[in-house]
Amino acid sequence: ASIQREVCRFYGIAHNDLIGSKRSQNIVYPRQIAMYLARDLTDLSLPKIGDAFGGRDHTTVLHACRQMRLLMETDGKLREDWDKLVRKLTE
């Protein structure tokens, strides 16, 4: 819940959008980052993370994590956002 709250605040989106079914880029990107953070910073299982994001399938969470890992290698802005969010969530 704190990961979702922090990601919503960071990207200026509504919590309902984060866990909802909207697929616009400005929602999907933060949602995938939040799923990846949940995977990385908690010991929740993929199905549990999926449930926390509006009942999504565990394969959706897996896809989000793979996607973010790949993007982080090439996207400096994403890498920066990731570092800021991790710092906020672990301080």
Side-chain angles (χ1 to χ4, degrees), residues 19-65:
I19 63 171
S21 57
K22 283 187 184 169
R23 286 207 175 139
S24 53
Q25 196 56 44
N26 66 322
I27 303 293
V28 169
Y29 196 73
R31 183 184 295 142
Q32 289 185 328
I33 287 182
M35 287 180 179
Y36 191 28
L37 283 164
R39 182 77 180 131
D40 211 47
L41 301 178
T42 70
D43 52 6
L44 291 173
S45 66
L46 292 172
K48 285 255 185 275
I49 294 171
D51 286 346
F53 284 87
R56 287 183 162 72
D57 192 70
H58 75 278
T59 57
T60 305
V61 180
L62 200 57
H63 172 74
C65 294

Side-chain angles (χ1 to χ4, degrees), residues 29 32-33 36-37 40 64-83 85-86:
Y29 196 73
Q32 289 185 328
I33 287 182
Y36 191 28
L37 283 164
D40 211 47
C65 294
R66 286 189 181 134
Q67 201 68 10
M68 289 295 110
R69 230 185 343 262
L70 284 173
L71 277 174
M72 259 195 261
E73 292 172 13
T74 56
D75 186 335
K77 170 82 174 94
L78 174 62
R79 184 82 224 175
E80 209 175 292
D81 288 357
W82 170 265
D83 291 339
L85 282 161
V86 168

